Amino acid sequence: YEGSDLFELVAPPRFALTVLRVKLPKEKREKTTAHLGTSKAGTTETKVDEGLASNDVFPLPSGADKGPHTDMLTRANAVTKEVYESINASGDIFLTSTMIKNCYAIRVVGANEQTDEQHLRKAFEILAGTTKEILRKLERQAEPE
């Protein structure tokens, strides 16, 4: 879908829940391997997925020990939170948010017997459109005058 490159999964989708964050334009992430545990047959199950894995931790350095990783996480958290708050303020759709291992994330739930594909596509259009608007605004603010 157009705009899907704007987001990164923070947790694997479960039932009708998708947990994501805004991926900053210059931010690149490698595929992450997550150890999912041991199966009933005694074999190790591993899943390779785009985005953040369940064992991917975002440690925040204490005090003045702030590096580029912390700055990137802080910026991504701020942008994701702004997208979340902007969408909820509009009243078009309702989202919830969460923090997972120091990562601010948006929770999108499509579990309602009245929800169909058209509703989910519209929700994604709102999410992608709002994200693009906010990223453009931030780019304009960062440009030298």
Side-chain angles (χ1 to χ4, degrees), residues 13-67:
R14 296 281 189 250
F15 184 53
L17 171 66
T18 303
V19 183
L20 53 86
R21 74 172 184 142
V22 175
K23 184 167 47 172
L24 298 179
K26 293 182 181 182
E27 186 179 349
K28 300 289 183 201
R29 296 195 62 84
E30 298 295 322
K31 287 187 183 280
T32 306
T33 302
H35 174 67
L36 299 179
T38 306
S39 71
K40 290 180 182 176
T43 60
T44 300
E45 296 179 7
T46 304
K47 178 181 178 185
V48 177
D49 201 355
E50 191 79 23
L52 307 178
S54 59
N55 62 348
D56 204 1
V57 180
F58 293 100
L60 292 177
S62 61
D65 184 22
K66 294 192 178 218

Side-chain angles (χ1 to χ4, degrees), residues 80-94:
T80 302
K81 185 174 184 177
E82 186 173 349
V83 168
Y84 163 76
E85 290 176 346
S86 178
I87 290 172
N88 275 354
S90 75
D92 293 331
I93 60 174
F94 179 73

Side-chain angles (χ1 to χ4, degrees), residues 3 6-7 20-24 75-97 104-108 123-138:
L6 297 169
F7 307 103
L20 53 86
R21 74 172 184 142
V22 175
K23 184 167 47 172
L24 298 179
R75 286 193 313 275
N77 283 351
V79 172
T80 302
K81 185 174 184 177
E82 186 173 349
V83 168
Y84 163 76
E85 290 176 346
S86 178
I87 290 172
N88 275 354
S90 75
D92 293 331
I93 60 174
F94 179 73
L95 303 170
T96 59
S97 66
Y104 190 91
I106 295 172
R107 301 175 72 224
V108 182
F124 184 78
E125 288 173 13
I126 291 168
L127 191 57
T130 303
T131 300
K132 288 176 186 176
E133 286 175 24
I134 289 170
L135 290 174
R136 279 193 297 266
K137 177 186 81 169
L138 293 173

